[in-house]
Amino acid sequence: MQKEPTTLSFDALVIGGGIAGGEAALNLASNGYKVIIIEKRLSLGGKMIMLSKVFPTLDCSACITTPKVSEISRHPNITIFTESDLTSVEKRGEHDFVAKVTRRPRYVVAEDCTACQLCEEACPVIVKDQFQYNLVGRKAAYIPFSIASPKVAAIDIENCTLCGACEKVCPPGCIDFTQEPRDYVITAKTAIVATGFKLYDPSNVPRYNYGEAKNVITSMQMERLLAPTRPFHTILRSSDGKVPDKIAYVLCAGSRDDSLGNPICSQICCMYSIKQAQLLMGALPMADITIYYIDIRAYGKGYEEFYEQAAGMGVRFVKGKIGRISEKENGNLTLRYEDLASGKLKEADHDLVVLSVGVKPNSEPAGLFTTHKLELDSLQFVKQSDPLLSPAKTTIEGVFVAGTATGPKDIPDSILSAGSASTEAICYLNQ
Amino acid sequence: MSRINPKFGKELKKYGATEFGSCYNCGTCTAVCSLSTGEDSFPRSMVRLSETGNEEEIAASLKPWLCYYCGECSTNCPQTANPGELMMSLRRWLMAKYDWTGLSGYLYKSLTATIIAMVLVAIGVVVFAAYEKFDMEVIMHSGHMFEMLAIAGVFAVILIPNIARMWYFTIIKPGKNVSFMKYIKSLGEFLIHMFTQKRALGCDDNQKRWFEHFILVIGYLTLLFTTVFLDWFGSESIFVIVLGYVVSAVIFVVTFDFVLGRVKKNKEVSKHSQPSDWFFVIWLLLMGVTAFAVRLFIDLDILENNKWLYLFHLAVLAQWALIIVPFGKWTHFLYRSFAMYFAKLTVV
Ligand SMILES: Cc1cc2nc3c(=O)[nH]c(=O)nc-3n(C[C@H](O)[C@H](O)[C@H](O)COP(=O)(O)OP(=O)(O)OC[C@H]3O[C@@H](n4cnc5c(N)ncnc54)[C@H](O)[C@@H]3O)c2cc1C
Ligand code: SF4
Ligand code: SF4
Ligand code: SF4
Ligand code: SF4
């Protein structure tokens, strides 16, 4: 049993190890500052590391995220705590922050694990794989996903039956069921909030039938189906293994909708849907892809051209929001909508429906700061105290914000805001 | 050529619709409406016409009458533009448009005018009674005559011309070609709708409301028939007397439930009650109650000493017949049945 928490000191504390937090940490570290990243999940990389390819360049997401993430994890000035809970941050004065952190046990000695996956093979327990957005199963002893960082196994103790099968097969003998949570007290001179966003949960909209109809999936699930490290190595309906050939996209699913309590545009879903449609045309050349939209929001550099490219490739764009999705006996789906071009109510059949779910705020960081108030805006995103001139400033001096913690952003904008947050942090450190 | 009238929105606000300006044309409302069809898609199209103030096309449209205000569209509208209430307001606006006297719109928009009209009618009844020296025999006889005359008069002078105007706006003016045979063949549809309002059944979760409506229509027509043609208050026939009691009790129970619904506002349809809606249900309730009481007093032989009751009943009846029926919400029922008929005419 650990009695006293371990005390560690850094220049900067970065909360959240997604692409924004990672980039901010890297900038600070490259300027000679010592940084600690606190990530609550098992791997760095946030949502981006799970993506297939990225708009508007169609670069392979894994191929650009992995080098970045390994640069972060190899950097001598960066310390990474994954699977860790930040419980509080106190500001005792300028340049004087104290954070309490608990590292949850993985039940695997990270330094010794070779990621041989023998434990995975041996483990008899199968549960839904949260990293594949429940498309497939995983074991209770598992490596989160193939490009996870750190690539180290973990035991899902809640589902583990303590049968000991993994322990027996592990070559370096690094599985250790006696591990316990470890507490740390971390001092830092500045902090960056990069806690990212949450995905809209479409089961809040019964009309979409998500969770009931087998072949209604979310865009994040489609990212996994399309990714190079994908679960099936092809595109298919996970319910029956059929290769879909009439795929529909429902845009603004849970965004721009007062009645669902999320009035704003999520900014990324038009573009990622257009991206996925193009990738699907490549993967399934015979498939019909239809995107049902209210407005196409292609606002960034090269985005309009990206949209036109998709239309040119034969993606059908239909103006009209989907009102209702009903499941047929064969698992196909009937979509009811008003075709705005003709003003007529129509129904269309599809064999796979993708809900382009939007961005919801992650309001967790507000609860972390105990001595000063980290304010949220009216939509529960982190409030920017000076959104025009110093967009990285929060309502606490010395605490900066990066990425989607302040509102919907795509990757280029998240990286830009991380640059801004790290620069502001450096200025603050030198004050 | 359609003309755009940017001020139309302001006018429509007076009929109850206030939020439709925030519509961003997504079509969710049309897609969730269980009465919308490929041929008659609404309510989004009507929101659009209202937004642009295209009065001519609105006047030519039968769609507002095809909506039974289940409220699904308003519940699911992403912009909380309340398209269901817009459809209701358009029905009120159309009612005013069809009415050649212009009184419908005036009374609708001005609560004061409505109250003054109601009071005047009540005073008229009392003055008449005083003129007849409160002779119950004479008053009741005149009351009975008045009912018949009022019904005939209102139909001949107000309602039939208004329906002709509705026909003109929706069929003739837009240049729809309908053969004589079609008018005859579609009559069946008209009668069915008139008596059953069966279309409302298409609304989800609407069975109870439809059934109540159905009972109300039948009950109301029977009460009218019993009082006017069977002379309930004067009748000696036990059958007529009992029938009158039963139908007035039924009207009472059903309208009471409607009033309760409007008070509780538990359904989308009853959330936005306007004065005209209140007048309608309350007067219906009063008619049922007072008719019941009058006959009861006759049977107990205490009406002579309680003349006020009959006068009260007569006032309610006169207000109903002279204000609510020709210019108020009652006409919805009539226009709706004709709308169904006209819609049928133009289906090929
Ligand atoms: C389906 C889909 C497809 C997309 N496709 C593209 C695309 O093609 N191109 C593009 O530019 N953008 C795309 N995006 C957008 C992109 O995913 C985001 O812009 C990007 O991931 C934002 O990064 P972030 O670091 O701000 O947030 P996140 O990726 O959400 O990272 C936040 C991190 O913080 C951690 N965290 C959260 N709370 C805490 C806490 N309390 N303590 C510790 N850690 C915490 C989380 O675990 C996570 O690791 C897509 C998004 C989706 C949903
Ligand atoms: S825990 Fe052991 S068996 Fe499992 S991947 Fe690591 S080294 Fe291999
Ligand atoms: S980005 Fe497109 S799909 Fe997403 S909320 Fe905005 S308009 Fe809707
Ligand atoms: S659902 Fe609302 S926003 Fe969408 S078209 Fe209908 S009224 Fe307009
Ligand atoms: S209130 Fe009901 S019937 Fe009327 S338009 Fe809306 S959804 Fe359709």
Side-chain angles (χ1 to χ4, degrees):
Chain A
M1 267 291 288
Q2 172 207 16
K3 287 185 200 78
E4 284 298 301
T6 316
T7 306
L8 300 168
S9 287
F10 298 90
D11 292 313
L13 164 74
V14 174
I15 312 167
I19 196 62
E23 175 73 8
L26 206 53
N27 291 344
L28 281 156
S30 310
N31 280 287
Y33 296 99
K34 293 228 168 294
V35 186
I36 181 162
I37 301 178
I38 310 293
E39 167 55 54
K40 73 171 170 189
R41 305 224 293 173
L42 284 166
S43 168
L44 290 180
K47 313 263 185 323
M48 183 182 174
I49 204 166
M50 310 310 301
L51 300 181
S52 53
K53 294 190 176 176
V54 285
F55 67 77
T57 55
L58 287 185
D59 280 313
C60 154
S61 186
C63 324
I64 56 177
T65 320
T66 339
K68 194 100 183 171
V69 165
S70 60
E71 197 184 339
I72 297 164
S73 43
R74 281 201 331 262
H75 203 292
N77 285 343
I78 300 180
T79 304
I80 298 163
F81 278 14
T82 51
E83 194 66 359
S84 298
D85 290 321
L86 181 69
T87 47
S88 72
V89 186
E90 256 176 72
K91 181 180 176 184
R92 294 189 299 204
E94 293 310 325
H95 307 114
D96 188 5
F97 292 87
V98 183
K100 296 211 170 87
V101 177
T102 306
R103 281 188 99 164
R104 278 173 266 126
R106 288 178 92 103
Y107 304 102
V108 170
V109 178
E111 297 70 34
D112 298 343
C113 171
T114 60
C116 67
Q117 287 179 295
L118 289 178
C119 53
E120 250 180 36
E121 253 170 59
C123 178
V125 179
I126 299 177
V127 293
K128 281 184 178 169
D129 186 345
Q130 74 272 36
F131 288 100
Q132 304 298 341
Y133 293 86
N134 298 343
L135 286 170
V136 285
R138 62 157 171 82
K139 297 296 184 66
Y142 69 116
I143 301 220
F145 48 95
S146 56
I147 54 171
S149 169
K151 193 167 180 183
V152 169
I155 310 293
D156 169 3
I157 205 72
E158 262 163 44
N159 291 301
C160 166
T161 58
L162 295 177
C163 70
C166 53
E167 214 175 357
K168 283 188 209 106
V169 296
C170 175
C174 61
I175 292 174
D176 175 6
F177 286 106
T178 67
Q179 280 186 358
E180 296 217 350
R182 288 183 63 105
D183 292 334
Y184 293 83
V185 169
I186 289 164
T187 60
K189 300 192 180 96
T190 183
I192 292 181
V193 176
T195 41
F197 67 102
K198 297 200 160 149
L199 286 169
Y200 186 82
D201 175 6
S203 46
N204 290 334
V205 194
R207 291 183 281 121
Y208 290 157
N209 234 329
Y210 179 74
E212 302 289 326
K214 298 176 291 293
N215 299 311
V216 177
I217 64 172
T218 67
S219 48
M220 206 60 197
Q221 289 175 314
M222 181 52 94
E223 287 291 337
R224 293 314 302 152
L225 288 175
L226 285 162
T229 54
R230 55 196 165 177
F232 305 125
H233 303 289
T234 179
I235 312 290
L236 45 78
R237 312 204 294 191
S238 60
S239 67
D240 57 7
K242 183 176 173 283
V243 177
D245 56 25
K246 250 189 131 214
I247 304 172
Y249 276 82
V250 178
L251 261 52
C252 301
S255 305
R256 300 178 70 190
D257 196 330
D258 270 347
S259 72
L260 305 174
N262 189 27
I264 61 162
C265 167
S266 294
Q267 298 187 26
I268 51 172
C269 10
C270 276
M271 289 306 293
Y272 73 56
S273 303
I274 292 171
K275 165 193 78 179
Q276 292 186 358
Q278 295 191 22
L279 298 176
L280 282 168
M281 296 219 109
L284 306 170
M286 301 307 286
D288 286 335
I289 322 277
T290 310
I291 294 184
Y292 296 93
Y293 68 97
I294 307 178
D295 312 286
I296 293 293
R297 298 206 159 160
Y299 56 92
K301 184 174 171 187
Y303 289 11
E304 181 67 20
E305 291 74 7
F306 193 67
Y307 161 50
E308 278 162 15
Q309 173 174 306
M313 284 167 78
V315 177
R316 267 182 72 225
F317 286 87
V318 175
K319 187 169 166 72
K321 188 166 179 177
I322 298 300
R324 212 179 279 289
I325 301 172
S326 37
E327 191 180 31
K328 303 210 289 187
E329 222 157 81
N330 60 1
N332 288 1
L333 304 137
T334 305
L335 278 60
R336 216 172 123 95
Y337 65 102
E338 182 181 350
D339 175 33
L340 271 282
S342 64
K344 286 197 187 335
L345 177 77
K346 287 192 178 163
E347 290 196 336
D349 280 357
H350 290 275
D351 52 11
L352 184 65
V353 173
V354 184
L355 302 174
S356 296
V357 289
V359 171
K360 285 287 277 177
N362 175 5
S363 57
E364 281 165 35
L368 300 178
F369 291 83
T370 49
T371 49
H372 293 63
K373 193 165 162 53
L374 186 81
E375 284 179 31
L376 301 179
D377 62 20
S378 61
L379 296 160
Q380 302 294 300
F381 288 102
V382 175
K383 184 171 175 175
Q384 295 159 288
S385 61
D386 185 3
L388 275 180
L389 298 179
S390 297
K393 282 192 176 150
T394 67
T395 51
I396 306 178
E397 200 178 353
V399 178
F400 304 95
V401 60
T404 49
T406 59
K409 278 182 195 64
D410 57 13
I411 294 161
D413 282 352
S414 298
I415 299 273
L416 276 170
S417 85
S420 157
S422 45
T423 314
E424 294 262 15
I426 290 171
C427 295
Y428 175 75
L429 287 172
N430 289 309
Q431 259 172 25
Chain B
M1 258 267 289
S2 34
R3 283 177 65 96
I4 282 177
N5 174 10
K7 295 208 184 84
F8 183 71
K10 267 204 187 131
E11 174 70 5
L12 210 50
K13 279 203 174 90
K14 300 183 193 147
Y15 289 90
T18 48
E19 292 121 343
F20 66 96
S22 59
C23 166
Y24 62 19
N25 277 292
C26 67
T28 304
C29 47
T30 307
V32 298
C33 171
S34 44
L35 293 176
S36 191
T37 61
E39 294 76 44
D40 283 310
S41 305
F42 59 85
R44 208 255 337 151
S45 53
M46 298 315 294
V47 179
R48 189 79 196 134
L49 291 177
S50 308
E51 181 84 276
T52 50
N54 194 332
E55 288 177 61
E56 201 167 314
E57 282 204 35
I58 296 174
S61 176
L62 292 166
K63 288 176 186 174
W65 301 110
L66 305 181
C67 154
Y68 275 79
Y69 208 167
C70 65
E72 273 294 290
C73 54
S74 291
T75 310
N76 292 297
C77 168
Q79 290 288 92
T80 42
N82 210 342
E85 187 59 19
L86 173 86
M87 293 298 269
M88 185 70 217
S89 309
L90 286 177
R91 286 193 285 278
R92 297 180 185 129
W93 183 84
L94 285 174
M95 231 171 66
K97 176 92 188 165
Y98 301 156
D99 182 14
W100 66 269
T101 64
L103 277 174
S104 295
Y106 188 63
L107 291 179
Y108 182 80
K109 282 185 282 189
S110 164
L111 180 60
T112 333
T114 312
I115 293 175
I116 292 176
M118 293 292 221
V119 172
L120 284 180
V121 170
I123 292 177
V125 169
V126 178
V127 168
F128 166 74
Y131 176 74
E132 297 291 353
K133 305 206 173 48
F134 295 99
D135 181 337
M136 241 9 221
E137 193 97 351
V138 179
I139 299 174
M140 281 186 76
H141 180 70
S142 322
H144 188 215
M145 290 310 288
F146 164 79
E147 269 183 68
M148 289 210 228
L149 283 178
I151 293 175
V154 160
F155 263 90
V157 180
I158 315 274
L159 298 180
I160 292 177
N162 287 354
I163 286 166
R165 276 165 66 84
M166 175 186 187
W167 172 70
Y168 171 75
F169 286 132
T170 57
I171 306 281
I172 304 304
K173 205 168 170 213
K176 291 178 190 158
N177 231 337
V178 183
S179 72
F180 182 70
M181 274 316 280
K182 192 89 190 180
Y183 281 103
I184 304 290
K185 276 198 206 143
S186 310
L187 263 180
E189 186 83 1
F190 170 65
L191 291 174
I192 291 172
H193 276 296
M194 180 107 177
F195 289 102
T196 66
Q197 305 257 314
K198 74 164 188 211
R199 192 182 154 81
L201 272 178
C203 280
D204 299 332
D205 306 324
N206 216 2
Q207 266 59 355
K208 173 165 175 253
R209 222 177 117 223
W210 172 81
F211 188 68
E212 289 191 329
H213 255 290
F214 179 65
I215 296 290
L216 201 60
V217 170
I218 299 295
Y220 173 69
L221 291 176
T222 326
L223 187 66
L224 205 68
F225 186 75
T226 328
T227 49
V228 177
F229 296 104
L230 301 179
D231 191 14
W232 186 32
F233 296 149
S235 176
E236 300 283 316
S237 146
I238 184 80
F239 169 74
V240 174
I241 295 173
V242 172
L243 181 70
Y245 274 128
V246 171
V247 287
S248 52
V250 166
I251 292 189
F252 173 73
V253 171
V254 177
T255 40
F256 189 74
D257 191 56
F258 278 179
V259 172
L260 217 63
R262 288 207 180 267
V263 172
K264 281 201 257 164
K265 303 184 177 206
N266 51 357
K267 285 194 214 117
E268 192 70 44
V269 55
S270 40
K271 268 187 204 154
H272 309 272
S273 300
Q274 297 280 336
S276 62
D277 304 321
W278 285 112
F279 278 123
F280 181 74
V281 285
I282 291 176
W283 255 250
L284 206 56
L285 190 74
L286 286 177
M287 282 214 304
V289 177
T290 55
F292 189 91
V294 167
R295 183 63 231 190
L296 194 68
F297 278 34
I298 294 176
D299 288 340
L300 298 175
D301 225 2
I302 51 173
L303 190 65
E304 255 327 294
N305 298 327
N306 290 288
K307 291 179 181 160
W308 62 269
L309 178 69
Y310 184 75
L311 291 186
F312 182 51
H313 172 69
L314 196 59
V316 168
L317 206 73
Q319 288 160 336
W320 175 261
L322 296 180
I323 300 172
I324 299 181
V325 169
F327 308 116
K329 208 180 161 180
W330 189 88
T331 48
H332 278 205
F333 157 75
L334 197 69
Y335 292 142
R336 205 189 270 292
S337 309
F338 274 95
M340 236 59 87
Y341 177 48
F342 293 160
K344 180 93 182 166
L345 293 179
T346 45
V347 175
V348 258

